[in-house]
Amino acid sequence: MLEGTTALVTGASQGIGREIATTFGSYGANVVCAARSGDAIDETADMVADAGGAAVAVETDVTDEEDVAAVVAATVEEFGGLDCLVNNAGIGGPVEPVHRIDADDFRHTQEVNVVGPFLCAKHAEEHLRASERGSVVNIGSIGGKRPYVNRLPYAASKMALVGMTRTLAYELGRDGVTVNTVLPGPVEGPRIEEVVAKQAELAAVERAEPASMGPDDFALPDYMTDAAEVAEQVAYLASERGRHITAQEIGIDAGMTWY
């Protein structure tokens, strides 16, 4: 499905990013694995190779424009071009009510979750336009489409990603580049466990309303998402089969978002 495609996957050191990278490898793609953790992305690159793809690892901080320019240049040098950018790198940000959030923590969340994808798109743009099947897939969140109590910095960043997606889709679309956002629901793993634990702690904090998610919030009783489901959707959007899907936010969320 992705034979010969060259993809740059940020945040590829663990979780969804690692799953996306290895899934692309299993479909025959060339994958550049980017993240701040050198040892972890080396491991991901080995997993991509084991899955059947070609891979390199490039240590990258997506908030550093020089790093972003360098990883894009390395991608083009190694594989001759760039067909797909997957903006997966992100952080959860503070889990606090608004009056307890430090402004620097708010800014840092935007730097990673919004400025990072912007810089990657900025430096990848010319190569995506030159591709016969260019695509950008942003990894968003249901927090970009519904209230996320005690997650204001995160929700703001993911809503911004929706606006970025729709605008880029029209800027790049004349050259056949598709731009979409995937919105995972709660994904099994350590991050969601940490958030749930922190929300529970807030029950004892003055002026804080703890938030919870349960079966009543979803259309399906089995509402926890698996990273592999997210990765398969990303691969579809990057493939020729997804060439007429653009400017969309696609929920993998058991029905938690309805628009």
Side-chain angles (χ1 to χ4, degrees), residues 22 27 92 231:
T22 55
Y27 286 123

Side-chain angles (χ1 to χ4, degrees), residues 95-224:
V95 182
E96 297 282 1
V98 63
H99 64 281
R100 291 165 55 91
I101 295 172
D102 184 87
D104 286 341
D105 288 340
F106 183 93
R107 292 188 187 97
H108 181 58
T109 304
Q110 310 317 306
E111 281 286 322
V112 178
N113 293 0
V114 183
V115 177
F118 151 69
L119 290 175
C120 290
K122 173 183 175 180
H123 287 276
E125 173 256 1
E126 63 175 302
H127 306 291
L128 296 171
R129 288 184 188 272
S131 169
E132 293 183 0
R133 174 67 184 97
S135 65
V136 179
V137 184
N138 297 316
I139 306 302
S141 166
I142 54 177
K145 282 202 158 186
R146 54 157 288 132
Y148 246 28
V149 177
N150 303 319
R151 303 288 306 282
L152 178 60
Y154 182 76
S157 72
K158 294 303 183 180
M159 180 62 80
L161 202 57
V162 170
M164 189 185 304
T165 295
R166 295 181 182 183
T167 301
L168 279 175
Y170 279 84
E171 285 197 17
L172 306 184
R174 292 300 178 186
D175 289 303
V177 180
T178 60
V179 187
N180 295 285
T181 294
V182 170
L183 309 175
V187 178
E188 294 179 353
R191 176 180 288 187
I192 191 64
E193 293 171 2
E194 291 171 8
V195 170
V196 170
K198 182 62 177 177
Q199 290 282 17
E201 290 177 14
L202 290 176
V205 177
E206 182 183 5
R207 292 167 53 209
E209 287 291 333
S212 63
M213 292 183 186
D216 291 343
D217 297 304
F218 300 85
L220 299 175
D222 179 16
Y223 59 86
M224 291 296 290

Side-chain angles (χ1 to χ4, degrees), residues 46-70:
D46 289 340
M47 294 170 69
V48 172
D50 290 343
V56 295
V58 181
E59 195 167 339
T60 307
D61 179 350
V62 296
T63 69
D64 184 320
E65 188 160 6
E66 290 186 1
D67 268 18
V68 172

Side-chain angles (χ1 to χ4, degrees), residues 230-249:
V230 180
E232 289 290 345
Q233 182 65 69
V234 174
Y236 180 84
L237 292 171
S239 75
E240 184 65 20
R241 299 173 189 174
R243 67 189 181 91
H244 284 123
I245 304 172
T246 196
Q248 303 300 310
E249 303 87 49

